[in-house]
Amino acid sequence: QVQLVESGGGLVQAGGSLRLSCAASGRTFGGYAMGWFRQAPGKEREFVATISWRGDITYYANSVKGRFTISRDNAKNTGYLQMNSLKPEDTAVYYCAAGITPTMTSRYDYWGQGTQVTVSS
């Protein structure tokens, strides 16, 4: 089992930045790919970014490419999502997930509880 806890969400003005963290406990986090997803009110959960367990493979949704950066520190059992140039449409609950492969689908084995990100215009 891997337990995931997100943090770093909050309220920010458009154009601002936030860094989300995903702290893992339980089984070795380093053996898992990590993904970030988000769900806005009234919408389905959508893929944001993913990173391989080595950190050498990353994928991003087109909507965040060039603005968001996913990274990880396996020694700290923590993953990150640096979000820059935030837009009101980035407002959502952000979830981190851990799984065997870095995929843009929801095929992850473990999920966190989410952290709210609100971007004001």
Side-chain angles (χ1 to χ4, degrees), residues 69-103:
T69 302
I70 189 171
S71 63
R72 64 190 297 159
D73 185 339
N74 290 337
K76 295 182 178 180
N77 283 340
T78 303
Y80 305 97
L81 184 68
Q82 177 67 44
M83 306 186 295
N84 299 329
S85 303
L86 282 161
K87 305 175 181 180
E89 51 264 44
D90 294 319
T91 295
V93 177
Y94 283 71
Y95 300 89
C96 69
I100 299 300
T101 58
T103 173

Side-chain angles (χ1 to χ4, degrees), residues 4-75:
L4 303 172
V5 178
E6 304 93 337
S7 62
L11 174 64
V12 64
Q13 288 188 331
S17 298
L18 283 175
R19 188 175 82 155
L20 305 183
S21 297
C22 176
S25 60
R27 296 185 66 177
T28 304
F29 178 62
Y32 290 90
M34 182 189 71
W36 285 95
F37 291 75
R38 66 187 183 186
Q39 187 168 18
K43 295 187 177 181
E44 293 189 352
R45 185 171 59 190
E46 65 174 1
F47 167 77
V48 176
T50 187
I51 186 168
S52 61
W53 72 270
R54 285 196 180 102
D56 57 342
I57 299 171
T58 58
Y59 299 119
Y60 294 91
N62 288 334
S63 58
V64 306
K65 202 171 294 184
R67 300 188 298 122
F68 290 11
T69 302
I70 189 171
S71 63
R72 64 190 297 159
D73 185 339
N74 290 337

Side-chain angles (χ1 to χ4, degrees), residues 1 31 46 61 105 108:
Q1 289 281 349
E46 65 174 1
T105 71
Y108 289 84

